[in-house]
Amino acid sequence: MLAIGLMSGTSLDGVDACLIEIKNNKFTIKDFICVPYDLDLKKRLLLIASNKPTTIQQICSINVELGKIYASSCIKLLKHSKIDKKEIGYVAMHGQTVWHNPNNKDHLESSTLQLGDPSYIANALNCKVVSGFRYMDMAVGGEGAPLVPFVNWKLYTNKKENIALQNIGGISNVTYLKKNGTIDDILAFDNGVGNMLIDNAMRRLFNKEYDNHGFTAKKGKIIQEVLDELLSDKYLFLTPPKSTGREKYNDEYLSEIILKIKSFGGSDEDVITTLTAYTADSIALSYQLFLKDIDKVILSGGGAYNDYLVERLKEKIPSKLEISNNTDSLEAFSFAVMGYYTLKGKPTNVPSVTGASKQVILGQITDPIIR
């Protein structure tokens, strides 16, 4: 059977679409594409995610727009793969997170919201669509994140090495797999910010979407006083399970950092250098605090392309570090795998990771059009 996994992360780059083959309970990546968001949509998503004034009409419209974009992304992937849509058994989509509040922020209910109407995919491909993976975990007391540790455990656990699977997207998250460990031995959490602050600062200061290969960070210097203050953030010292997102690392947070760096005479380049060091050092600090005896770190996500960030990680982390072979496709692939287990009626959350009271089946199923 063939299936498609869709992921659009907090970095708001666009839609990652991964085609997988499932045979004898084994999952193989067959093809992958990334469909970027246009700048207008990205700006409107950033507005919603920043919790600034908008309208319910705008949110409602974007929910449908994203559904249509996800559907067209599937069609583009199939065209790229030269696969007929009739061969697709199901699509699993994460949706676009615009708010994630697992800890009663502002005395409101713990909640999460991913936009993108799955009905448009079901209509375009006439197959089942699994979406809304985070909600059931939160319903049983979990943080609804991180969710990919189940797939990481299935794919990477082994008898010889303790492995840290480090993803750096908009947010940084890690899955730690003890050698010969069971699902109950998994430790996973959000380290802290990933590329989010770097990307936002690049847009604000250099009118660029991201720091290509860390070239801008390499030109600046670290403002140590500001970095030290950032590394004292309470979140970094919270014991897992824990997760975070744009609700914390928002425009106001970035503005404060830029002002502090400028007050020490820092340049625009110094802002990017300091923020990149913050991402790397937050990851290293989380390893020191919560993870022991790491034999190997496997790095994935957009941060793996930032040479300055990777070199900083190598300086700060004593373990062997390697770049994943599936850096771009790993998360979309993971949701495709989770969708398979959802349709089989199998739980895929990891209570020791999310804090949920029990294992549950994740995802809501949208049935195909019946003809």
Side-chain angles (χ1 to χ4, degrees):
M1 176 172 66
L2 297 177
I4 295 173
L6 301 176
M7 176 66 191
S8 43
T10 50
S11 59
L12 302 177
D13 293 333
V15 183
D16 293 336
C18 183
L19 178 70
I20 73 166
E21 182 180 47
I22 306 161
K23 188 180 292 185
N24 299 324
N25 285 330
K26 292 185 178 179
F27 307 90
T28 307
I29 296 174
K30 304 300 289 184
D31 200 3
F32 171 81
I33 63 169
C34 180
V35 181
Y37 288 151
D38 66 51
L39 289 179
D40 176 66
L41 176 63
K42 194 168 185 175
K43 287 178 181 178
R44 288 184 291 136
L45 282 169
L46 281 168
L47 180 65
I48 295 171
S50 68
N51 205 25
K52 291 179 179 177
T54 185
T55 65
I56 191 64
Q57 183 181 25
Q58 185 69 240
I59 295 170
C60 195
S61 175
I62 286 183
N63 186 50
V64 171
E65 289 175 57
L66 286 170
K68 292 180 177 180
I69 290 169
Y70 294 150
S72 67
S73 297
C74 290
I75 299 299
K76 288 176 182 177
L77 175 63
L78 294 177
K79 185 177 180 180
H80 187 265
S81 309
K82 298 180 181 177
I83 297 291
D84 191 286
K85 66 180 183 180
K86 293 178 181 177
E87 296 185 53
I88 301 300
Y90 67 90
V91 175
M93 56 163 274
H94 174 269
Q96 182 62 63
T97 299
V98 292
W99 196 253
H100 184 66
N101 172 27
N103 47 21
N104 298 105
K105 181 181 172 68
D106 298 328
H107 306 291
L108 295 171
E109 285 285 351
S110 291
S111 53
T112 189
L113 182 60
Q114 286 74 46
L115 297 182
D117 190 338
S119 305
Y120 290 89
I121 303 173
N123 179 45
L125 273 68
N126 198 28
C127 67
K128 289 181 181 292
V129 181
V130 187
S131 60
F133 284 91
R134 301 196 185 278
Y135 302 132
M136 187 58 76
D137 184 80
M138 296 191 77
V140 293
E143 296 215 352
L147 296 184
V148 297
F150 172 84
V151 178
N152 288 336
W153 175 70
K154 284 281 187 182
L155 295 178
Y156 290 99
T157 192
N158 66 85
K159 297 180 179 180
K160 296 181 179 180
E161 293 180 305
N162 298 315
I163 298 176
L165 295 152
Q166 181 65 56
N167 180 71
I168 307 178
I171 296 295
S172 295
N173 58 77
V174 65
T175 302
Y176 177 66
L177 303 174
K178 288 174 61 177
K179 56 187 174 185
N180 213 24
T182 69
I183 193 169
D184 294 324
D185 292 320
I186 299 173
L187 179 60
F189 54 91
D190 288 348
N191 316 84
V193 74
N195 302 314
M196 188 179 293
L197 291 177
I198 303 168
D199 292 350
N200 286 354
M202 287 297 296
R203 280 190 287 270
R204 188 183 298 192
L205 301 175
F206 296 95
N207 198 30
K208 295 180 179 179
E209 288 301 304
Y210 60 95
D211 185 10
N212 187 29
H213 292 288
F215 290 151
T216 305
K218 291 177 183 179
K219 295 177 183 176
K221 64 181 181 296
I222 295 171
I223 305 301
Q224 194 62 47
E225 295 88 346
V226 177
L227 179 59
D228 290 342
E229 182 179 344
L230 291 171
L231 290 171
S232 68
D233 180 27
K234 291 180 180 179
Y235 176 82
L236 302 180
F237 297 88
L238 287 176
T239 302
K242 60 178 180 177
S243 59
T244 188
R246 195 174 292 277
E247 73 287 343
K248 175 176 176 64
Y249 301 108
N250 51 33
D251 287 343
E252 290 75 15
Y253 188 88
L254 176 60
S255 294
E256 291 176 10
I257 294 172
I258 292 174
L259 283 174
K260 287 174 184 176
I261 290 173
K262 296 289 186 178
S263 73
F264 284 98
S267 66
D268 288 349
E269 287 81 5
D270 295 343
V271 171
I272 305 303
T273 309
T274 304
L275 289 173
T276 308
Y278 178 36
T279 292
D281 292 9
S282 297
I283 293 169
L285 177 61
S286 72
Y287 287 14
Q288 295 168 18
L289 293 172
F290 307 117
L291 307 181
K292 308 298 179 186
D293 302 322
I294 302 173
D295 296 309
K296 181 168 64 176
V297 177
I298 301 177
L299 185 62
S300 64
Y305 295 107
N306 186 318
D307 297 339
Y308 180 90
L309 177 55
V310 173
E311 288 304 313
R312 181 83 179 179
L313 283 171
K314 288 179 178 178
E315 290 175 14
K316 295 289 180 175
I317 297 172
S319 311
K320 179 173 67 175
L321 188 148
E322 65 181 50
I323 308 296
S324 168
N325 292 328
N326 302 311
T327 293
D328 295 319
S329 60
L330 198 56
E331 285 192 296
F333 169 72
S334 295
F335 281 99
V337 174
M338 284 194 287
Y340 173 81
Y341 285 101
T342 299
L343 293 170
K344 291 289 184 181
K346 308 266 188 189
T348 51
N349 70 324
V350 183
S352 62
V353 167
T354 66
S357 61
K358 55 187 173 183
Q359 280 199 292
V360 289
I361 300 167
L362 301 179
Q364 302 162 343
I365 301 169
T366 303
D367 284 317
I369 305 298
I370 304 299
R371 291 195 176 98

